[in-house]
């Protein structure tokens, strides 16, 4: 027992992340997972419409031929999964909620481990612990506020996917500052454009994060300015090419 407790403490980030993942899966299996939040039904309607008419979707809620703000790459991916596997939009979004949680936990660990390589799992553990619990009384039940009371409800949401992707994009950008790699650069461009289309407020966080990482690395020079400008311009151009 002592060895088990010692092992759990040694790998405390993985222990906490595993506990969050397990509790979320159990909650989903029990059928209670936040469908009471009204936005969920709009997201489900979007996935349903894209799955039924992927090339020429109409409005997901009204009988009019009009676009919809939620027609994002995330919604299209969910629709493709729903159509290919013959799953309902609700089931598809439920499964993607688990995927989003794994990506979020992985992204937090990757980014913080690269920023503070000598900290081991200590900083990622406390970061995840405080993200979930350090909100005080009256925390908003709103997507983007990833505290323990709301996380299970908003995992299927595009905002959660965008948050998870933002950590991965910032991790790739941090590595890109050390040495230019086309694969990392392409991932940052594609990831940034997907975030812009999926959840624009998160794009502002990514932009601020890139600037902060550049300043923290003391690399305010012509190379870093060109890199930032090219990422911003190209990401916006890619987003403008989105056909929906």
């Amino acid at each position: 027992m002592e060895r088990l407790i010692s092992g759990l403490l040694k790998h405390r980030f993985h222990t906490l992340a595993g506990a969050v993942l397990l509790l979320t899966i159990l909650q989903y299996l029990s059928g209670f997972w936040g469908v009471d939040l009204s936005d969920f039904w709009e997201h489900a309607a979007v996935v349903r419409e894209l799955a039924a008419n992927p090339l020429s979707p109409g409005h997901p809620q009204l009988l009019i031929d009009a676009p919809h703000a939620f027609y994002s790459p995330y919604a299209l991916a969910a629709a493709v999964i729903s159509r290919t596997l013959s799953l309902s939009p609700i089931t598809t979004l439920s499964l993607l909620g688990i995927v989003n949680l794994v990506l979020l936990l992985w992204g937090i660990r990757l980014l913080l481990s690269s920023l503070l390589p000598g900290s081991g799992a200590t900083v990622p553990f406390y970061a995840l612990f405080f993200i979930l619990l350090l909100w005080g009384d009256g925390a908003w039940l709103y997507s983007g506020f990833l505290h323990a009371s709301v996380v299970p409800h908003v995992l299927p949401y595009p905002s959660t996917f965008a948050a998870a992707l933002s950590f991965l994009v910032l991790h790739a950008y941090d590595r890109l500052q050390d040495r230019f790699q086309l694969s990392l650069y392409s991932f940052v461009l594609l990831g940034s454009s997907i975030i812009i289309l999926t959840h624009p407020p998160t794009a502002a966080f990514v932009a601020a994060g890139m600037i902060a990482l550049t300043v923290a690395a003391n690399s305010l020079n012509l190379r870093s300015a060109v890199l930032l400008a090219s990422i911003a311009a190209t990401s916006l151009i890619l987003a403008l090419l989105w056909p929906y």
Side-chain angles (χ1 to χ4, degrees), residues 70 101 111 118 134 137 147 152 179 195:
F70 286 0
L101 177 59
L111 178 60
L134 197 64
D137 295 331
H147 52 84
R179 184 166 64 93
I195 291 171

Side-chain angles (χ1 to χ4, degrees), residues 9-28:
L9 291 175
K10 181 179 180 181
H11 302 284
R12 48 188 175 272
F13 175 82
H14 295 95
T15 302
L16 179 58
V20 173
L21 181 60
L22 178 60
L23 289 173
T24 301
I25 292 174
L26 291 175
Q27 183 164 312
Y28 276 30

Side-chain angles (χ1 to χ4, degrees), residues 73-155:
Y74 175 77
L76 181 60
V80 170
I81 295 172
S82 176
R83 184 184 180 98
T84 303
L85 301 180
S86 298
L87 299 174
S88 71
I90 293 177
T91 300
T92 303
L93 288 173
S94 299
L95 294 174
L96 287 178
I98 300 297
V99 175
N100 290 341
L101 177 59
V102 173
L103 288 176
L104 182 66
L105 296 171
W106 184 39
I108 291 172
R109 175 63 190 268
L110 276 180
L111 178 60
L112 293 178
S113 296
S114 66
L115 292 179
L116 299 165
S119 64
T122 302
V123 171
F125 166 77
Y126 283 110
L128 178 58
F129 183 82
F130 291 145
I131 286 172
L132 292 173
L133 299 177
L134 197 64
W135 288 83
D137 295 331
W140 289 359
L141 293 174
Y142 181 77
S143 62
F145 293 77
L146 299 176
H147 52 84
S149 297
V150 80
V151 163
H153 300 272
V154 300
L155 286 178

